Amino acid sequence: MDERQALAAFGALSQETRLQIVRLLVVAGGDGMAAGALAEKVEVSPSNISFHLKELERAGLITQQRESRSIIYRAAYDALAGLVRFLMEDCCGGNPEICAPATAAASCCAPEPKT
């Protein structure tokens, strides 16, 4: 992840509703969530959730996939991990072992969607 991508991601996450959406999608795992369910959870209107989802997708933090009549949104785990790695890149003044737990957590595997 380069600085431009990190700035876009942090910009998208700097809004309360969008941060809540990403956190919900991380918890949802590979199953993801439909826009309507997300709107209910964060207590916003359908048009408002669409705006926030578009911003998160533009920043590369979430993905969408049509499933039947619904659009399912999922966290983009690679992008989120890249963001953590970007922060930890030059970690701890030459003592990377201090940041090892955080970078290891960022490198975990994304859950597979259930079929």
Side-chain angles (χ1 to χ4, degrees):
M1 176 169 288
D2 63 27
E3 190 170 309
R4 181 189 55 75
Q5 293 168 314
L7 286 169
F10 284 122
L13 291 172
S14 69
Q15 200 281 335
E16 180 181 4
T17 301
R18 290 193 289 267
L19 181 59
Q20 289 174 349
I21 291 167
V22 170
R23 293 188 68 184
L24 284 169
L25 291 175
V26 167
V27 171
D31 290 340
M33 292 179 73
L38 285 165
E40 285 179 24
K41 288 279 191 181
V42 297
E43 300 178 344
V44 298
S45 68
S47 62
N48 194 281
I49 198 77
S50 294
F51 168 77
H52 291 301
L53 291 168
K54 180 183 72 165
E55 291 298 313
L56 290 167
E57 191 170 18
R58 182 179 298 146
L61 298 174
I62 65 170
T63 62
Q64 65 168 291
Q65 180 180 1
R66 180 165 292 283
E67 291 184 8
S68 186
R69 292 176 29 184
S70 297
I71 297 177
I72 303 299
Y73 292 88
R74 293 182 179 88
Y77 291 94
D78 289 345
L80 293 168
L83 193 56
V84 172
R85 284 191 302 273
F86 175 83
L87 289 174
M88 302 295 191
E89 209 165 67
D90 300 316
C91 184
C92 306
N95 297 300
E97 66 278 0
I98 295 170
C99 298
T103 55
S107 299
C108 71
C109 298
E112 293 292 322
K114 293 182 180 176
T115 56

